[in-house]
Amino acid sequence: MAFKEGLLRLNVHLHPSYIGNIKAGVEEQLNQMLLKYTEEMDGVLLSYWDLKYRNRHARIINETPYLHFHIQTQVLTFAPTPGLRLVGTINKAGSHHLGLLVYKVFNASIDAEHIKSDFKFDETTDSWRNKKTGETLKLGQEVRFEVTKVHRSEGLLSISGSLMSKDAGPVSAGGQHTSEIAAPDSVTKKRKRSIDISQNTIPIDTPAKKTKKHKKEEEEAEEEAVPIDIEDTTSAKKKHKKSKKSSGK
């Protein structure tokens, strides 16, 4: 499957301007990661949901004013692997390669050496044509191809592909995509749930068992750290209003 769901754990370094609204700051950082390659998940982040704090306190380390704490969230990523079949739309046709867009977002490229020998490039129409079958590879044409390599660089992901396999080639009108290409129903439902992050509070998760590496990192960070309570503005305001009412009585 090109789509994967998983648990993303992050160490957040939050600007002090968000001290009155921690949730907004966390969401802004996560939103900046959307549609970018995330090394932790080895894929492009598409959506997130079920956001939780993994600490009850944030910390200030040494002289820096930033708030440091851990979060976790369920995520949906686009993570193609070699051997996977995908469908892309041709957006560039040249004598040396084909350029495609997968899901109208992700770039893919197929070199001429990975196009079946039956196809020949026609300079008059800027397309590849199979004289035996009459099939063409032209701008706007959907093509089923095999992923041969995935390139990752500076938050971007691109795909190299091949049309040499038997099931590769132009997709006929009304052709059905296989389960490897279409997102499953469970993914669609989870992506709708990702909107629910706009709730007033983020729950605190019970920390999972820590590895030796994580323990060492946290111990080093805590040597000169000052704890600060993580509390959303909404709950803080409610408490403030209640205290005012009680004092007025």
Side-chain angles (χ1 to χ4, degrees):
M1 288 294 295
F3 297 101
K4 292 183 180 179
E5 298 174 23
L7 183 65
L8 175 63
R9 289 191 173 100
L10 287 177
N11 185 14
V12 176
H13 310 288
L14 201 62
H15 192 275
S17 61
Y18 289 104
I19 198 168
N21 194 346
I22 299 294
K23 185 174 79 72
V26 172
E27 288 181 350
E28 182 172 329
Q29 286 197 16
L30 287 171
N31 290 341
Q32 290 175 358
M33 295 171 64
L34 292 174
L35 293 181
K36 293 181 180 178
Y37 174 75
T38 304
E39 187 175 353
E40 292 84 352
M41 300 303 296
D42 193 22
V44 176
L45 186 63
L46 300 179
S47 66
Y48 61 91
W49 66 95
D50 195 21
L51 179 60
K52 295 179 181 179
Y53 294 129
R54 298 186 66 225
N55 307 96
R56 290 186 177 275
H57 303 281
R59 295 182 179 277
I60 294 177
I61 301 175
N62 298 325
E63 296 85 7
T64 62
Y66 284 82
L67 310 178
H68 302 268
F69 55 94
H70 298 274
I71 65 165
Q72 71 176 43
T73 179
Q74 294 291 328
V75 296
L76 172 68
T77 59
F78 176 68
T81 54
L84 186 71
R85 267 59 170 180
L86 293 173
V87 168
T89 303
I90 298 176
N91 63 352
K92 185 176 182 180
S95 59
H96 299 293
H97 79 287
L98 288 173
L100 304 95
L101 274 183
V102 179
Y103 298 111
K104 299 181 180 181
V105 176
F106 307 104
N107 290 306
S109 178
I110 301 174
D111 291 337
E113 61 188 41
H114 295 296
I115 299 174
K116 293 173 184 176
S117 59
D118 292 338
F119 284 89
K120 302 297 181 183
F121 185 71
D122 185 350
E123 293 184 355
T124 60
T125 60
D126 285 334
S127 64
W128 289 76
R129 183 175 178 81
N130 187 325
K131 292 183 178 180
K132 293 180 181 179
T133 63
E135 292 178 314
T136 58
L137 301 172
K138 58 184 179 180
L139 293 178
Q141 172 71 50
E142 285 194 332
V143 177
R144 179 179 171 84
F145 67 97
E146 178 183 356
V147 176
T148 57
K149 192 172 182 179
V150 179
H151 309 274
R152 310 163 183 86
S153 177
E154 298 181 356
L156 300 177
L157 180 146
S158 61
I159 303 165
S160 291
S162 171
L163 294 176
M164 302 301 287
S165 59
K166 290 182 180 180
D167 58 348
V171 176
S172 59
Q176 293 183 349
H177 296 178
T178 67
S179 58
E180 287 183 312
I181 300 165
D185 292 338
S186 60
V187 169
T188 306
K189 292 177 182 178
K190 293 284 178 66
R191 291 179 72 181
K192 289 180 180 177
R193 286 177 53 198
S194 66
I195 302 171
D196 295 337
I197 294 178
S198 59
Q199 295 173 356
N200 290 331
T201 59
I202 302 176
I204 296 172
D205 182 59
T206 304
K209 190 176 181 180
K210 299 174 184 176
T211 62
K212 290 183 180 180
K213 182 182 177 182
H214 287 155
K215 283 182 180 179
K216 186 178 179 181
E217 288 176 352
E218 290 189 8
E219 285 172 1
E220 290 175 353
E222 288 177 4
E223 285 182 359
E224 295 190 34
V226 179
I228 293 177
D229 286 335
I230 297 176
E231 187 174 21
D232 282 88
T233 308
T234 50
S235 57
K237 285 180 178 179
K238 287 179 182 178
K239 289 181 181 179
H240 184 62
K241 285 181 180 179
K242 285 183 180 179
S243 62
K244 274 190 172 182
K245 286 182 180 179
S246 58
S247 60
K249 290 179 181 180

